[in-house]
Amino acid sequence: MKPFLKWPGNKYKIIERIKRELPSGNRLIEPFVGSGAVFLNTDYNSYILGDINQDLISLFMILKSDGQGFINYAKTFFSKDNNSEDRFYELRDLFNSTNDSYEKAAIFIYLNKHAYNGLCRYNLRGHFNAPYGRYKRPYFPEIELLEFHKKSPKAEFVCQGFHKTFEQARKGDVIYCDPPYEPLSKTSNFTSYSSSNFNRFDQEALANMARSAASRGITVVVSNHDTEYVHSAYNGAKIEQFEVQRYISCKGDERNRVGEILAIFS
């Protein structure tokens, strides 16, 4: 099942490769859930799905609790009148100012489909600031939203850092991590959407927590770019290397294949 959100680094297109490395277990834990592609395309008894993006987790929780009613409400934002530059920025301002979590969640979907390349970006004040995308007919993902809702009773959604999510893991669980990637270069555009707060200290902390979890009988699978630094940071893991097509650039000739890895700690 395809996720209902556009998401940079979305794992939907390589989901079968990821699934081959995920063992069976009681529960799948995702400290960086993103669009939920792995959640939607696996079949564990239960899930803990975490992310530090409060808007994302709030949306998931509202969709879980209200289902079709929320989907119907969110659909009202996908009108011809709302698909203009002026209206986009009006709704973006409303998203950044409203205290109504239900309204905010619906506008989050609108912004995700109308913003440039589905970019999810915030300024230092925590305001969503991705620009207008100029799409002729933005797609409202009604079927995908409903499928997410149907599966969501299996999931516990938590807004917290990856350290706390790792602490919830128990023997027999499986952890899949899709952290902000190590940049391919100092000027890499692809990772510009990533949180500036996630640095090499965090990459190494994540690797150490993965090793610790593995020593307690918890398999951890981590995605990242295929770089010399990543190989060093994930020392001791089984490394699977492959290439993926990147679609962050809007120019077709800039959508290059890049190296990616899955690091398996077990």
Side-chain angles (χ1 to χ4, degrees):
M1 172 55 63
K2 196 171 184 179
F4 67 85
L5 292 171
K6 293 182 181 181
W7 209 256
N10 183 359
K11 294 301 178 286
Y12 178 69
K13 291 192 174 182
I14 60 168
I15 190 62
E16 293 304 319
R17 183 180 290 273
I18 294 170
K19 286 168 65 176
R20 287 201 297 267
E21 305 302 335
L22 293 174
S24 59
N26 300 323
R27 178 173 62 175
L28 181 67
I29 297 175
E30 293 192 62
F32 309 87
V33 65
S35 66
V38 176
F39 159 62
L40 289 166
N41 291 281
T42 52
D43 190 24
Y44 290 86
N45 292 330
S46 62
Y47 297 79
I48 296 177
L49 305 178
D51 205 281
I52 60 170
N53 187 322
Q54 180 63 65
D55 296 327
L56 178 70
I57 296 300
S58 178
L59 165 59
F60 288 164
M61 293 174 69
I62 288 171
L63 179 57
K64 176 181 178 178
S65 65
D66 202 35
Q68 191 65 58
F70 172 72
I71 294 170
N72 293 342
Y73 174 63
K75 191 173 184 178
T76 65
F77 289 88
F78 284 69
S79 66
K80 184 177 179 180
D81 290 342
N82 281 343
N83 189 25
S84 70
E85 187 167 4
D86 287 346
R87 186 59 177 150
F88 173 85
Y89 288 112
E90 287 175 3
L91 287 170
R92 194 182 76 172
D93 287 344
L94 178 59
F95 175 83
N96 287 326
S97 62
T98 184
N99 292 317
D100 184 331
S101 60
Y102 203 82
E103 179 179 57
K104 195 176 184 75
I107 299 175
F108 189 89
I109 299 172
Y110 166 88
L111 293 174
N112 179 258
K113 297 300 184 180
H114 290 74
Y116 177 75
N117 272 346
L119 191 65
C120 185
R121 189 183 69 188
Y122 298 81
N123 62 25
L124 293 177
R125 294 183 295 167
H127 290 171
F128 188 96
N129 69 349
Y132 180 54
R134 302 182 185 279
Y135 300 110
K136 289 184 178 180
R137 293 189 183 92
Y139 171 67
F140 180 69
E142 185 164 6
I143 294 172
E144 293 86 348
L145 282 160
L146 186 58
E147 289 302 314
F148 190 102
H149 165 69
K150 288 178 179 177
K151 189 166 185 180
S152 62
K154 286 188 170 186
E156 175 188 356
F157 299 102
V158 292
C159 183
Q160 60 191 22
F162 70 91
H163 304 81
K164 289 186 177 180
T165 307
F166 260 85
E167 289 172 1
Q168 293 181 252
R170 299 292 180 266
K171 185 175 181 179
D173 289 338
V174 178
I175 301 176
Y176 171 69
C177 296
D178 184 22
Y181 278 17
E182 170 70 9
L184 290 171
S185 69
K186 291 182 180 179
T187 58
S188 174
N189 288 327
F190 174 67
T191 55
S192 63
Y193 66 86
S194 298
S195 170
S196 61
N197 292 326
F198 198 95
N199 53 34
R200 286 189 169 184
F201 175 82
D202 297 299
Q203 294 283 11
E204 291 161 16
L206 174 60
N208 287 333
M209 295 191 79
R211 293 186 192 97
S212 176
S215 72
R216 295 183 283 118
I218 302 164
T219 297
V220 183
V221 178
V222 187
S223 291
N224 215 309
H225 277 144
D226 189 354
T227 70
E228 183 177 347
Y229 168 75
V230 168
H231 281 261
S232 175
Y234 295 172
N235 181 44
K238 172 189 172 186
I239 302 292
E240 294 291 334
Q241 298 170 277
F242 53 97
E243 289 189 334
V244 296
Q245 189 81 35
R246 288 300 185 210
Y247 292 94
I248 295 302
S249 172
C250 64
K251 298 179 181 179
D253 59 357
E254 293 181 9
R255 299 178 183 184
N256 300 323
R257 296 186 70 81
V258 299
E260 189 158 322
I261 62 102
L262 288 172
I264 301 98
F265 296 85
S266 60

